Amino acid sequence: MSVPPRVWSATLLSAVVIAALVACSAPGDDDLDDGPSEPTRKALSFAAVEDLGPACEDIEGGYPDAPEYVGDGPHPMAVLVNEFDTDVQFNDPDYREWKLMNNVSTGDPLDKPDSPSEVTLLACGFTRPGDDLIDKCSYKAPLGLTASIEYPLYNKHYTMVVYELHTGREVARAELDARFRQSTPTCPFTVEGNFEKIYARSLNLHLYEPFRDLVTEPAT
């Protein structure tokens, strides 16, 4: 049986509409989803080397304006640690801040770079309390009291991670603690506030000396 002309006309019209819809969604159209967008380029807009701490928390993708970690050394490195001295400070995000550890100018390759634009390697120290009671620390009592005050001194752990600042790539890491290369633990110079525990500090140099070869030797 033949299809009535009016029905055939409707079928052709439907086919034309479907073809048009297919054409609208064909590859190469401006509305085609090309996949995930490129990450936003992050500018190296830090005023000083001391200000690079936030980059430790936002290192993914790196900072393309930083020098590449390639070729022979030296490769300038900034070393920042998220420090704390007491149990109260550890739990207080308003207290904890990134502190520059290699803030020296002695002519050594591991000294602080002159500006953020020279930083090739960023060493970030992530700290956490230790459970080991290792000593006691004595402090002078507040004015008007004669007796000194003693507090238990606990170990502290440092996860040191070195990144290529240009790409955000992890280059090396080390698990250290406050007793690393120290026969006698270091008490914080001063402590403030109400707290129950204090935590030993590593000497600054001991936190970045293990990475000397990354700075002085050819890039890996």
Side-chain angles (χ1 to χ4, degrees):
M1 178 185 294
S2 61
V3 180
R6 58 186 181 87
V7 176
W8 181 253
S9 298
T11 303
L12 284 176
L13 180 60
S14 298
V16 171
V17 172
I18 292 172
L21 291 175
V22 171
C24 289
S25 60
D29 189 84
D30 291 341
D31 295 331
L32 181 65
D33 183 4
D34 293 327
S37 59
E38 290 294 323
T40 303
R41 181 186 178 93
K42 292 183 289 191
L44 195 63
S45 56
F46 300 96
V49 175
E50 290 84 349
D51 301 327
L52 278 168
C56 290
E57 300 170 348
D58 186 26
I59 195 65
E60 185 177 359
Y63 292 79
D65 294 336
E68 293 185 64
Y69 178 48
V70 295
D72 295 334
H75 309 284
M77 180 171 68
V79 185
L80 292 105
V81 172
N82 202 350
E83 267 292 14
F84 66 94
D85 291 324
T86 71
D87 51 343
V88 173
Q89 292 173 355
F90 174 73
N91 292 307
D92 182 0
D94 292 332
Y95 171 83
R96 299 189 66 184
E97 60 183 13
W98 292 95
K99 298 178 182 178
L100 185 67
M101 297 288 105
N102 60 332
N103 192 14
V104 291
S105 299
T106 64
D108 189 281
L110 272 69
D111 288 356
K112 178 191 80 169
D114 290 333
S115 71
S117 63
E118 297 180 7
V119 176
T120 301
L121 298 173
L122 179 64
C124 303
F126 303 93
T127 53
R128 66 187 188 279
D131 296 325
D132 298 339
L133 177 62
I134 55 178
D135 206 341
K136 293 182 180 180
C137 296
S138 297
Y139 296 92
K140 291 182 178 179
L143 191 64
L145 300 177
T146 56
S148 62
I149 301 176
E150 280 192 345
Y151 293 99
L153 179 69
Y154 289 82
N155 191 25
K156 185 192 299 175
H157 299 287
Y158 296 82
T159 298
M160 300 298 300
V161 186
V162 181
Y163 300 100
E164 178 188 10
L165 188 58
H166 180 81
T167 62
R169 175 176 67 93
E170 181 178 322
V171 177
R173 74 167 52 213
E175 295 292 340
L176 309 175
D177 66 31
R179 293 172 294 190
F180 178 65
R181 293 184 177 175
Q182 294 187 107
S183 57
T184 303
T186 303
C187 295
F189 185 69
T190 60
V191 288
E192 299 178 346
N194 298 316
F195 51 85
E196 295 181 359
K197 298 178 180 179
I198 60 176
Y199 295 91
R201 281 198 173 208
S202 173
L203 294 179
N204 292 3
L205 178 63
H206 292 172
L207 295 176
Y208 56 85
E209 180 65 34
F211 306 115
R212 175 175 290 276
D213 287 352
L214 295 179
V215 174
T216 61
E217 299 298 318
T220 57

